[in-house]
Amino acid sequence: MSRRADPGPARLLARLRALALALLLAASLAPGAGAQDAPAEVPSAWETTLVRAKARAADPNATTPELEALRDQLLRMRSAAIELEAASAIEVTDVKARLETLGPAPADGATETDEVAQLRAQITAELSASQGPLLEAQDFHRRALAMIRDIDRIVRARFTDGLTRRGPTPLRPAHWWSTIEAVTRNLVAEKQAIAAVWSDPEARGAIQRRVPIDLALASVGIALTFGLRRRLVRWVEAALSRVQNPRAIGPLIALRNFSKLIVPLVGAGLLFAALDPAYLTDPVGKTIFFDLPAFLVAIIAASWLGSSVFAPRLAAYRLAPVSDDEATVGAWLTLACGGLIALHLFLKRYVLVWDLTSAEVATVLFPLVLAGGVLLWQVSRVLRTILRRIEERDRGAPAGERAGAISRSVLEIAQRGTWAIAFLAPLLAAAGFLAAAGYLLYSSILTLALVAAGVVLFDLITTTIGALGVRRDGGTDVAREGLVPVLIGSALIVAGLPVLALIWGARSADIANFWFLIRDGMTYGGMRISPGMILSFVLVFMALYGLSRVLQSLLRNTVLPRTRMDAGGKDALVTGVGYVGFFIASVVAVSSTGIDLTSLAFVAGALSVGIGFGLQNIVSNFVSGIILLVERPIKQGDWIEVGGFSGYVRGISVRSTEIETFDRASVILPNSDLVAGSVLNRTHTGLSGRLQVPVTVGIESDPRQVEAVLLSIAEAYPLVLTDPSPRVLLLELGPDALMFEIRCWLRDVNFSLSAKSDINFTILERFAAEGIRMQPFARDVRLPPDPPPLEDAVPPPATARVQVAKNS
């Protein structure tokens, strides 16, 4: 049989198995593995492997699996080289530090003591010896990476060439007759091989010895697949149809999925282990206990997806918005797609291994492509029905219950894509591009299956979480609303992306390479950055910063309330502890990763340039905030007036200060404005402050009587201080009024407005009782000149002044 590209399900399953092996291998090579792990490749074997890989890559007869095996070996050696490089770098750094303690080497003509010279020579020799493995590891790392890229390029080129290469068309009648003859010939050969096995006493004895075990396995497999599965599914569906408790829905749905997927998989694996057709020709290589072929997995998975998405007998738990008849059609269509994949895998396993030409292979597989095109066309009709039902439901549904635009767009793209591939795949196969037709057809079916599995898993997880009774205020289901569904959907998408990449042509080596990249990290700016280093940084930083937050809480709630420190001082101390804790946590976290801080010089240089241009305002505000906390010209709780705003300081942060006005509005001012500008702080030195209350009385009033009344009012007010004592001043004399003013000091200037109002109310009451008349204080103003004659009159200017009365 001729070798050819296989982009179908068999290749996907092979890649998944290789991916699992690669992940296990990566775990075995992870840092910190125990002594029982396989020893790392010694540097002496690196060159041999590189030479062999280079020779096989240059050989056009080298098979793709052989190149993939060499690539995996190079990848393992590359990881070992990275570990050796890291260990050697630490040793080189230590030796260099010892050499630097001796100071610079003496200049020409200068000498040093024999002891120092001998020690310098010894350390220099150690440095040369320790740099050898480091340089060797670095050199192999670069060369292996280049070789891995060359192998990837060759494999991808072969894959692309297999898709674009045109083979014989299966429409020629001559190919049909040759295919029939080839299949008949190979069936006769298989029959003869079976007869030869049965004629061999040793093989026949092996078969007879296996009969009891096979009967037991077959009995258990039949009981699980056709007995337990059917009864368990019927019981679960009956329970779901009459369940009343919402908490029981999640476990029942999980049990339904288990009975439709896991139970038949186990039963089919046991049954096939007993009835494997390959046992007839190779009884010695027979699997003893469990064997689950891919084509059985395809059928069982398709049955599970169809019954879960469309649920013909459980309309209340149906995921697709279709009618009962449409649900039945959808379930059977899903099963038919799974049967198509299973038939393709069956032919790959048992038929295409025969000695067939490329024309005969195309003739065998062409009917599957035709059937797949018909099935995809039916799938596009089902998707169009689902899309139409969703649009009809969204017209009358509230905004929160409508399907998202992204969901509708994905469905529309899937519907149009399946419709196009349904016609394109058979045309490509008929024209001789069988590999491209299979690639499009089977990749599309597997992609739809992956999306359907994601929908089923999303519903299962959210239903299970909802069954736990976790709810928010107001009874809102967390599993159906809020952030939980977004997190679950995101996790499923991330988990499905590697599988989607494998379906559409990515290799398991690509996924394994990504895993090695995550584990080993990458070099940037002379530093090696890996997820382990990032995790170490995050954990150390969070731990230390959490301790600083605990210390802040302890100071704020336990220590500082026992002191006589004012509120502003307490706030400044707590904020300063937070700044110091953040700085210490950052430095210790960076040091814990093992990064040489001197290698961050280029970052510091770039940062200084950025500060000089774009970050100067941020740095200025930060420094100003530190000044405010240290010098405390303003502090939390102060009443200040700045920039036309008046209010209380509520908080001083790194960048800005929050001021709450008397209207309960917040004003955010940059710290640099408070440091560089003028600020009126009414409570900087204390809470006491002066209050001025103007009073105007008639000209006939007795000034001394007014003075006595006003002074008694001020002295009687409880917030007015006696030292300094209040005073009443006669400020102005008018033609018909006298203007007095009460000047007194309040214990708390924050109550100045209410104090002024209370004093004014008392003045009105006392003046009424004493017979003192209040009088507006009139001021003389300039009036415009006499108007001109009417014929020359012009409108008066807009700035004409009028008489103003002062009433306060």
Side-chain angles (χ1 to χ4, degrees):
M1 174 183 172
S2 60
R3 296 185 180 273
R4 51 192 306 279
D6 177 20
R11 182 173 181 175
L12 171 63
L13 295 174
R15 289 171 179 170
L16 290 176
R17 287 194 294 268
L19 172 61
L21 292 176
L23 292 179
L24 291 176
L25 177 62
S28 66
L29 293 176
Q36 70 276 12
D37 295 340
E41 296 286 349
V42 294
S44 60
W46 292 352
E47 189 66 27
T48 304
T49 305
L50 273 175
V51 171
R52 186 171 72 253
K54 187 175 182 180
R56 297 307 296 165
D59 186 2
N61 296 324
T63 62
T64 299
E66 185 180 1
L67 293 178
E68 293 280 12
L70 283 172
R71 183 192 185 280
D72 293 339
Q73 189 175 1
L74 287 174
L75 200 59
R76 293 193 301 268
M77 290 182 174
R78 171 178 171 266
S79 297
I82 291 175
E83 294 179 3
L84 179 60
E85 181 181 348
S88 301
I90 296 175
E91 183 179 356
V92 169
T93 302
D94 294 340
V95 176
K96 285 184 177 180
R98 292 170 53 197
L99 189 60
E100 290 176 357
T101 57
L102 299 180
D108 295 339
T111 59
E112 58 183 354
T113 61
D114 295 339
E115 293 80 2
V116 175
Q118 184 178 0
L119 183 59
R120 186 185 301 276
Q122 179 182 352
I123 297 177
T124 302
E126 293 180 8
L127 180 61
S128 300
S130 60
Q131 283 179 336
L134 175 62
L135 297 176
E136 187 176 1
Q138 290 175 344
D139 178 68
F140 175 80
H141 179 199
R142 297 184 181 93
R143 295 170 61 193
L145 188 59
M147 193 68 246
I148 289 172
R149 291 172 180 170
D150 289 341
I151 294 176
D152 290 340
R153 177 181 51 80
I154 294 173
V155 173
R156 292 192 184 99
R158 290 183 177 183
F159 177 73
T160 305
D161 181 68
L163 291 180
T164 57
R165 182 184 305 164
R166 182 179 181 182
T169 175
L171 299 181
R172 294 183 60 183
H175 295 162
W176 303 348
W177 297 112
S178 65
T179 302
I180 294 175
E181 293 175 356
V183 171
T184 303
R185 184 177 64 253
N186 282 276
L187 287 176
V188 172
E190 292 291 336
K191 180 180 178 181
Q192 294 175 353
I194 295 174
V197 169
W198 282 96
S199 63
D200 184 4
E202 183 179 355
R204 188 169 58 250
I207 294 175
Q208 293 174 352
R209 289 191 298 270
R210 286 286 307 167
V211 169
I213 299 178
D214 289 342
L215 289 177
L217 293 177
S219 301
V220 176
I222 293 174
L224 290 176
T225 306
F226 302 101
L228 178 62
R229 172 187 173 276
R230 181 175 299 177
R231 293 186 179 182
L232 192 58
V233 169
R234 289 181 177 178
W235 180 84
V236 171
E237 291 182 348
L240 284 173
S241 62
R242 62 176 183 269
V243 66
Q244 300 293 332
N245 186 6
R247 293 177 179 267
I249 295 177
L252 287 176
I253 291 180
L255 182 60
R256 180 173 180 266
N257 285 275
F258 175 81
S259 60
K260 280 186 167 292
L261 183 62
I262 306 300
V263 173
L265 284 177
V266 175
L270 296 176
L271 183 61
F272 191 82
L275 305 177
D276 187 356
Y279 181 48
L280 299 177
T281 58
D282 187 16
V284 179
K286 164 77 171 164
T287 301
I288 295 178
F289 180 71
F290 190 84
D291 187 14
L292 186 61
F295 58 86
L296 289 182
V297 176
I299 294 177
I300 295 173
S303 175
W304 166 64
L305 288 177
S307 61
S308 299
V309 174
F310 294 98
R313 294 191 298 267
L314 289 173
Y317 301 96
R318 187 175 299 155
L319 301 180
V322 293
S323 62
D324 293 341
D325 295 337
E326 294 168 342
T328 303
V329 173
W332 279 106
L333 184 60
T334 305
L335 184 60
C337 290
L340 178 69
I341 298 291
L343 183 57
H344 177 83
L345 294 173
F346 181 84
L347 293 177
K348 290 287 184 181
R349 179 164 179 166
Y350 295 110
V351 176
L352 298 185
V353 295
W354 294 342
D355 185 16
L356 301 176
T357 64
S358 58
E360 293 165 352
V361 170
T363 305
V364 170
L365 296 180
F366 182 67
L368 297 184
V369 177
L370 288 179
V374 175
L375 290 177
L376 277 187
W377 177 65
Q378 293 290 337
V379 169
S380 68
R381 296 183 60 186
V382 173
L383 292 176
R384 185 169 62 249
T385 301
I386 294 175
L387 184 61
R388 185 173 63 252
R389 295 293 173 81
I390 290 177
E391 292 175 350
E392 293 174 355
R393 185 188 62 185
D394 288 349
R395 291 193 186 102
E401 298 179 2
R402 297 176 184 174
I406 298 179
S407 303
R408 291 195 297 269
S409 300
V410 170
L411 279 176
E412 187 174 358
I413 293 174
Q415 187 269 326
R416 295 181 178 180
T418 52
W419 183 88
I421 295 174
F423 292 95
L424 182 60
L427 292 177
L428 288 174
F433 296 97
L434 184 64
Y439 173 76
L440 291 176
L441 177 66
Y442 298 122
S443 297
S444 301
I445 295 176
L446 292 174
T447 300
L448 293 175
L450 178 63
V451 174
V455 173
V456 174
L457 291 177
F458 177 82
D459 178 76
L460 176 62
I461 295 174
T462 53
T463 304
T464 304
I465 294 178
L468 297 177
V470 182
R471 299 182 179 274
R472 291 186 303 184
D473 295 339
T476 303
D477 194 348
V478 174
R480 297 294 180 180
E481 301 179 13
L483 191 59
V484 172
V486 177
L487 297 177
I488 296 174
S490 301
L492 290 176
I493 290 174
V494 171
L497 285 178
V499 181
L500 183 63
L502 292 173
I503 290 174
W504 287 99
R507 299 177 298 133
S508 57
D510 298 329
I511 310 299
N513 189 35
F514 180 73
W515 168 258
F516 277 104
L517 179 63
I518 291 178
R519 197 201 68 175
D520 297 333
M522 58 182 179
T523 302
Y524 179 77
M527 297 182 299
R528 175 161 297 279
I529 301 175
S530 65
M533 296 172 61
I534 297 176
L535 180 62
S536 174
F537 173 83
V538 172
L539 293 178
V540 175
F541 178 80
M542 291 179 62
L544 295 180
Y545 186 67
L547 289 177
S548 69
R549 299 288 293 183
V550 171
L551 180 59
Q552 283 182 291
S553 177
L554 182 65
L555 289 174
R556 183 184 297 109
N557 301 323
T558 305
V559 178
L560 294 180
R562 302 174 181 272
T563 65
R564 297 182 180 180
M565 190 179 297
D566 57 274
K570 297 176 183 177
D571 180 71
L573 181 58
V574 171
T575 305
V577 170
Y579 288 162
V580 174
F582 180 85
F583 176 77
I584 295 176
S586 301
V587 173
V588 175
V590 172
S591 301
S592 67
T593 61
I595 297 177
D596 186 6
L597 297 181
T598 58
S599 60
L600 298 177
F602 72 99
V603 178
L607 185 61
S608 62
V609 175
I611 292 175
F613 288 97
L615 303 179
Q616 54 183 351
N617 290 334
I618 297 178
V619 175
S620 175
N621 290 323
F622 175 77
V623 175
S624 299
I626 299 297
I627 294 174
L628 292 177
L629 291 175
V630 174
E631 292 189 357
R632 299 175 62 200
I634 64 171
K635 54 186 179 295
Q636 186 177 4
D638 282 355
W639 175 9
I640 67 173
E641 295 180 8
V642 56
F645 300 102
S646 179
Y648 295 104
V649 177
R650 293 307 183 194
I652 302 174
S653 63
V654 175
R655 190 195 66 85
S656 60
T657 297
E658 179 184 359
I659 299 175
E660 182 182 354
T661 66
F662 300 116
D663 297 329
R664 295 294 177 90
S666 295
V667 179
I668 309 300
L669 292 176
N671 291 332
S672 58
D673 292 352
L674 299 176
V675 173
S678 300
V679 181
L680 175 60
N681 191 340
R682 294 186 176 274
T683 57
H684 177 56
T685 57
L687 296 178
S688 61
R690 194 175 70 172
L691 176 66
Q692 300 172 230
V693 183
V695 180
T696 306
V697 299
I699 190 65
E700 73 281 358
S701 302
D702 184 2
R704 294 301 179 183
Q705 181 186 8
V706 173
E707 178 187 17
V709 171
L710 295 178
L711 190 59
S712 62
I713 292 173
E715 291 174 347
Y717 194 72
L719 287 180
V720 174
L721 296 174
T722 58
D723 185 18
S725 59
R727 299 184 61 187
V728 176
L729 304 177
L730 179 59
L731 297 182
E732 296 190 34
L733 302 175
D736 54 358
L738 303 175
M739 182 175 179
F740 291 85
E741 184 176 270
I742 303 176
R743 294 186 177 181
C744 56
W745 289 82
L746 298 180
R747 301 180 187 276
D748 192 344
V749 74
N750 294 304
F751 297 95
S752 58
L753 189 61
S754 59
K756 186 174 183 179
S757 176
D758 294 340
I759 291 175
N760 282 331
F761 275 115
T762 307
I763 289 173
L764 290 176
E765 295 173 359
R766 292 288 302 275
F767 277 13
E770 299 289 341
I772 302 174
R773 182 175 64 86
M774 303 288 292
Q775 174 68 31
F777 193 81
R779 297 179 181 271
D780 293 335
V781 297
R782 299 177 58 186
L783 298 176
D786 295 336
L790 292 177
E791 59 271 13
D792 298 329
V794 295
T799 57
R801 303 181 63 187
V802 297
Q803 183 178 14
V804 179
K806 185 175 182 182
N807 54 8
S808 57

